[in-house]
Every structure is written in structure tokens, then in C-alpha cells.
Amino acid sequence: MDPLLFNILFLDIETAALYKTYEELPERFKPLWDKKASYLKNDESLTSAEIYNERAAIYSEFGQVICIGIGGLYMNEKKELSLKTKVLSAGSEKKLLEQFSDIVERHKAKNSLQLCAHNGKEFDFPYLSRRMLINGLKLPDALDLAGKKPWEINHIDTMELWKFGDYKKFTSLDLLAAVFDIPSSKSDISGADVNRVYHEENDLEKIKEYCGRDVGVLAQLLLKMRGMDLKL
């Protein structure tokens, strides 16, 4: 078994709009969102406020990280490959990002530490980095790409692996879970529900449970791609 598997930190982030409604946006940001919304419209009848409710969470300039699921592989007492997961949350986004950064920095001496996420290179990794900078935090080494050569960046993206060089389409984690017969993380909610559950239902615990399940699916997917199974 490849010992580098035990140096992978699986992660998944959940995000929500920074403000509950468009009307609560600071005045300086409203025209900036209006401009972005004009490019996002696929239905001319939609207003900037309606698009804000649907899309603001996925843009780091208008959204926030509300929880981060992490996981690592280990050998259990039966000598089977298993996964330990934890979902981070805090009273503020800054404290949450500090928690995550501290965990990653503790592995700084291990150059083999790898961060793994689905669509991580397009979403999770840059979103975390941007929100850290917005919150006045120093980037941990694992996210600081400045001056690094491509082979020095220890990021694993399961969607990129599945593309095999094909850049034409997006493949969701849930679809790949179905393809590989991995139980879905989508039960009571899906990613599309997170902003509503956070702002309208105020149910962060439900989101954390969903986030933790996503980490489990992610780990199983990577191992399936390597011809391995995981005992959960």
C-alpha cells in the first residue's frame, strides 16, 4: 500500500452568501453585484436580488466559508483502511479559517502532505485562499502557490483525475459516486440547499452532517480510482 495515502487531507467546504439578502449588501457592493449578476442571467425575468439568493455563495467576494470537512486515512485494529473525519465550524469565518490553517500548518514539515477535494482546483482551494486573504490571514504553505512549480503543488482534484485531460465538462461528485456505487451524501439536503438552510433555517448542524458525508464520498472515490476499497 502506498504510504503517501496517509498524507492526504481530504476536504470539502460549504459556503453561504455573506449577507442573507441582497438588500443587506453594503451600498458599495450592490452595483458590483448587479454587474456580476448581469453576466449570470439565463432568465431575463430574474432580478439581481433573486440571482444573489441563488449564486452569491459560490463567489468568494460575496460569500463566506461556514464549515470545512476534513478527513484522513488510517489502518484500523483489523488492519483495514479506514477514514477519520471531522467537520470544523466556529463563531466566525475568521476563526474557522484559522482552525483549518493551524491543522494544515502542523503538517508543514511534511512536504508530502496533499490536499484532496472534488473540483478543488476550481473551487475549494482558491475559495479558501481568497477568504483567508480577505480576513487578513496568512496563507498556509499548502495553499500558498506563489513561486511554486506545478510539481511542487500537492493538490489532488478528483474531478481533474476523472477528466483524463478532457477539459470540456463538469462531472459532479454525486454522479461519480453513483458510477462507482458509493452511497450518496445527498439525503436530506444537497449543495443547492446549503445557503437556504444556513440563512433561513439557521441549521448549521444539518450542513455539517452533509459536509462530513461529502468527505467520506470523496475519500471512497479517490480510492476507487486507485482500485481500492474503504471501510467506513
Side-chain angles (χ1 to χ4, degrees):
M1 184 176 296
D2 186 352
L4 293 180
L5 285 174
F6 301 102
N7 290 332
I8 296 174
L9 184 67
F10 298 95
L11 69 93
D12 178 69
I13 68 172
E14 300 302 333
T15 65
L18 194 56
Y19 296 91
K20 182 177 180 179
T21 66
Y22 169 83
E23 287 71 27
E24 294 177 34
L25 274 173
E27 289 304 314
R28 183 177 181 181
F29 279 83
K30 286 181 179 177
L32 296 170
W33 174 258
D34 292 340
K35 184 175 182 179
K36 179 174 282 292
S38 68
Y39 295 115
L40 300 175
K41 278 188 179 182
N42 52 19
D43 181 348
E44 289 301 320
S45 67
L46 293 177
T47 65
S48 286
E50 290 170 326
I51 297 173
Y52 179 87
N53 292 336
E54 293 180 2
R55 305 290 295 277
I58 66 174
Y59 296 101
S60 54
E61 300 85 2
F62 298 93
Q64 60 181 317
V65 183
I66 55 175
C67 64
I68 305 172
I70 58 174
L73 297 169
Y74 70 99
M75 298 298 291
N76 65 22
E77 64 277 1
K78 297 180 181 179
K79 303 299 180 183
E80 297 171 328
L81 193 61
S82 295
L83 179 73
K84 182 178 181 179
T85 64
K86 181 178 182 179
V87 180
L88 307 176
S89 63
S92 71
E93 183 189 35
K94 185 173 183 177
K95 289 181 179 179
L96 168 60
L97 295 173
E98 285 175 333
Q99 284 181 22
F100 176 74
S101 183
D102 287 345
I103 290 171
V104 172
E105 281 293 270
R106 286 203 291 270
H107 295 82
K108 188 173 182 178
K110 298 181 180 179
N111 292 326
S112 57
L113 173 70
Q114 300 179 87
L115 302 181
C116 178
H118 189 74
N119 197 30
K121 293 184 178 181
E122 183 72 22
F123 184 70
D124 302 73
F125 305 144
Y127 201 111
L128 284 167
S129 300
R130 292 167 185 153
R131 291 308 301 175
M132 284 183 181
L133 294 180
I134 290 170
N135 279 279
L137 301 176
K138 181 181 177 181
L139 294 178
D141 185 68
L143 290 176
D144 190 355
L145 309 186
K148 289 183 178 177
K149 299 177 176 61
W151 56 87
E152 295 173 328
I153 301 172
N154 289 327
H155 292 173
I156 302 171
D157 187 333
T158 48
M159 191 175 82
E160 182 181 73
L161 293 176
W162 184 247
K163 285 183 175 181
F164 290 95
D166 177 0
Y167 291 95
K168 294 191 295 294
K169 69 173 185 174
F170 172 88
T171 308
S172 70
L173 180 63
D174 200 39
L175 174 55
L176 289 181
V179 167
F180 285 99
D181 196 26
I182 299 169
S184 174
S185 60
K186 278 66 174 172
S187 56
D188 48 346
I189 65 171
S190 69
D193 302 309
V194 169
N195 189 68
R196 174 185 56 78
V197 172
Y198 181 76
H199 281 300
E200 297 180 17
E201 298 181 15
N202 298 311
D203 196 343
L204 181 58
E205 288 305 311
K206 181 186 290 187
I207 298 170
K208 287 172 63 177
E209 290 172 7
Y210 163 64
C211 184
R213 294 194 300 269
D214 258 357
V215 174
V217 172
L218 171 67
Q220 291 180 85
L221 174 60
L222 180 66
L223 292 176
K224 287 281 189 180
M225 287 179 168
R226 298 189 178 192
M228 304 170 67
D229 285 310
L230 177 64
K231 300 292 184 181
L232 290 181

